[in-house]
Amino acid sequence: MIGITRFKRNQQVLVDLGTANIIMAAVEYSLTEKPHILGIYRKHHLPSVRSNIRDFQSRLMHELKDVYASLQKELPDFAPSEIHYGLTAPYYTAETVKVREEYEEGHNITRDDLENIRARGADIFLEHFKHPSAVAIFEVRTLEEFLNGYPTQKVEGRSANELSLTMRYAAAHQMLIHGFQDLALRFHAQVHSFLHTFPQLFSDMFREHISGSGVQVIIDIGGELSEVIILEAGIIQNVFTLPVGVLDITEEIARIEKTDYESGEVLYRKYIAGRLEPGQASKIDEVLRSAVINWKPHFELAFKEMPAASRRSLNIFLVGGGALLADVQGLIMALEVMERMIVPPQMHQVDPKAFQDKVSGYEHFEGAGDFGILSLILKTTQ
């Protein structure tokens, strides 16, 4: 396994590895002050998730090297001891596994009992891979613990004849992990690399920093893919990966404007900021309406899996590059499941700049698309 134990140091590189963009932050930590962002570096991400794994990994590493070079050029004395990668689909595969074990009457639960159950869970998780040796588990999180069928916290040392754990495992391809480790050596021979999944990062962040009860849904609108993360009591209940994203919009903008992708992305950003001429803006309005029609069936499927408690208390949080699109908000509120809500859901846009009390150098944030970097900063501050 990789990246489960963390060694805290003074400077860190944090990487939000999306399907359309790479966002990299240089962050300095202090025991007496909040984390300080020295710089954030961005690059459009050329490798497509539809590529084969070898071509994808090779091109991805090339892109990462370019972003590293930009950081090192601006901060030549920056010497990180850790690099943390935040991964979205499809860089990893994750699954929730439940394992139950019975013991003799009066058995005291030990640390070895817990480790044995986690090991069994890992074996069950890896059984689903055609080539288990080609992947490595990098994230294991215990979501729920039950003693004799009852939810319990801190089960170690307690007496029970039945122990059940619900755990979430995440794994990545060995080639990808080795590539990350090789890139880390560009900074320093002793630098440590750690991998995290954004659903787990967001879950931790919401539990620690964003108050709220009932069911919470985080919608992360990415480049080629988007994720719908369903939380209840701060625990991941389900994660859906949808084959839709901002690329659908920017590529269509580029097509109707008869330009390249980069120019289409510039137009998209100007549209979001309200800086386009009315005629051009109206054409992009039509692109968005068309995209929303194509996205709706995917979101309908994801929201059908909502816990029953969501009918009375549901908060929806939009993050990622498409979080500011009014059409996306309208899409969510028009889903069939919303008609069955007893209490109307609350919709929120999460702006990293709202967390100025947690981090300095927040002026480097550009908007909701930097929510992933913020979650990494808060994670590595713990």
Side-chain angles (χ1 to χ4, degrees), residues 79-208:
S81 57
E82 299 180 8
I83 301 179
H84 291 261
Y85 295 91
L87 306 183
T88 186
Y91 299 105
Y92 71 90
T93 298
E95 183 182 0
T96 298
V97 178
K98 296 182 179 180
V99 179
R100 176 175 168 272
E101 185 66 73
E102 294 184 352
Y103 307 97
E104 294 182 357
E105 192 71 32
H107 177 81
N108 286 326
I109 304 300
T110 67
R111 182 169 298 181
D112 285 344
D113 293 330
L114 296 171
E115 290 303 318
N116 288 337
I117 286 184
R118 292 187 182 107
R120 283 179 54 197
D123 290 340
I124 293 170
F125 171 58
L126 292 173
E127 284 177 358
H128 298 161
F129 291 90
K130 185 176 181 181
H131 302 290
S133 61
V135 301
I137 295 174
F138 65 85
E139 187 174 76
V140 180
R141 183 63 60 90
T142 300
L143 304 179
E144 295 177 302
E145 300 173 324
F146 294 85
L147 288 180
N148 298 332
Y150 295 95
T152 310
Q153 294 182 344
K154 299 180 180 179
V155 299
E156 186 177 342
R158 298 195 178 191
S159 177
N161 59 1
E162 180 187 301
L163 171 63
S164 176
L165 298 184
T166 302
M167 299 157 289
R168 187 173 186 270
Y169 295 84
H173 200 284
Q174 292 275 18
M175 289 178 59
L176 198 62
I177 290 175
H178 292 157
F180 290 149
Q181 292 171 331
D182 291 343
L183 280 172
L185 297 179
R186 291 171 59 88
F187 280 114
H188 193 279
Q190 299 302 316
V191 71
H192 299 278
S193 297
F194 300 91
L195 310 184
H196 312 269
T197 66
F198 276 121
Q200 193 60 62
L201 285 168
F202 293 166
S203 173
D204 292 343
M205 179 179 175
F206 272 62
R207 188 166 52 250
E208 295 291 331

Side-chain angles (χ1 to χ4, degrees), residues 19-21 23 219-227 244-250 265 268-269 271-272 288 291-292 295 299 317-332 347-350 367-371:
T19 52
N21 293 281
I23 305 175
I219 302 177
D220 184 7
I221 307 294
E224 286 188 277
L225 301 172
S226 298
E227 288 185 311
V244 301
V246 175
L247 246 82
D248 300 334
I249 298 169
T250 51
E265 186 174 28
Y268 169 75
R269 292 183 181 277
Y271 173 84
I272 292 297
L288 290 174
V292 164
W295 290 8
F299 281 95
F317 298 85
L318 297 175
V319 302
L324 300 179
L325 293 173
D327 295 77
V328 173
Q329 300 176 48
L331 160 67
I332 301 304
M347 187 83 70
H348 313 269
Q349 295 174 349
V350 185
D370 287 337
F371 188 72

Side-chain angles (χ1 to χ4, degrees), residues 307-326:
S310 66
R311 295 183 63 199
R312 295 186 179 276
S313 179
L314 174 61
N315 282 275
I316 302 171
F317 298 85
L318 297 175
V319 302
L324 300 179
L325 293 173

Side-chain angles (χ1 to χ4, degrees), residues 322-343:
L324 300 179
L325 293 173
D327 295 77
V328 173
Q329 300 176 48
L331 160 67
I332 301 304
M333 297 307 294
L335 297 177
E336 291 182 10
V337 69
M338 298 304 171
E339 298 176 0
R340 300 194 295 271
M341 296 296 171
I342 297 173
V343 178

